[in-house]
Amino acid sequence: MIVSDKMKSVLVHYNQGLTLYKSRKFAEAKEEFKKALAIHPGDGPSKLYIERCDDYIADPPPDDWDGVYNMKTK
């Protein structure tokens, strides 16, 4: 499978965002996901992680957080 340069750029920002997210740097992660969306507005995973970052910025996870997101609604 050949990946376009555009998608490579999206992946760079998405992966950087994911690394920051896992390091509990939610504001910085959100910015990386927003950069991915600026390149590819239909990127569902980046949209999802922006929402999760917003949740964790407003209400940070506990100190022993293992990276698992607990859904609040079904």
Side-chain angles (χ1 to χ4, degrees):
M1 175 193 222
I2 297 174
V3 179
S4 70
D5 288 340
K6 177 180 172 181
M7 282 310 294
K8 286 179 186 176
S9 294
V10 170
L11 288 171
V12 165
H13 291 295
Y14 176 82
N15 286 327
Q16 182 62 30
L18 201 53
T19 298
L20 290 163
Y21 177 88
K22 290 177 180 178
S23 297
R24 303 174 60 103
K25 297 178 181 176
F26 303 114
E28 295 94 331
K30 180 180 175 180
E31 292 307 311
E32 289 298 322
F33 294 127
K34 285 170 64 176
K35 289 176 185 176
L37 278 179
I39 298 166
H40 181 57
D43 184 40
S46 290
K47 289 179 185 178
L48 177 69
Y49 274 103
I50 286 171
E51 291 176 14
R52 290 180 179 183
C53 285
D54 285 339
D55 287 347
Y56 283 141
I57 289 167
D59 186 20
D63 290 340
D64 63 348
W65 180 65
D66 60 3
V68 173
Y69 183 81
N70 294 316
M71 295 179 65
K72 294 179 174 85
T73 60
K74 211 172 182 183

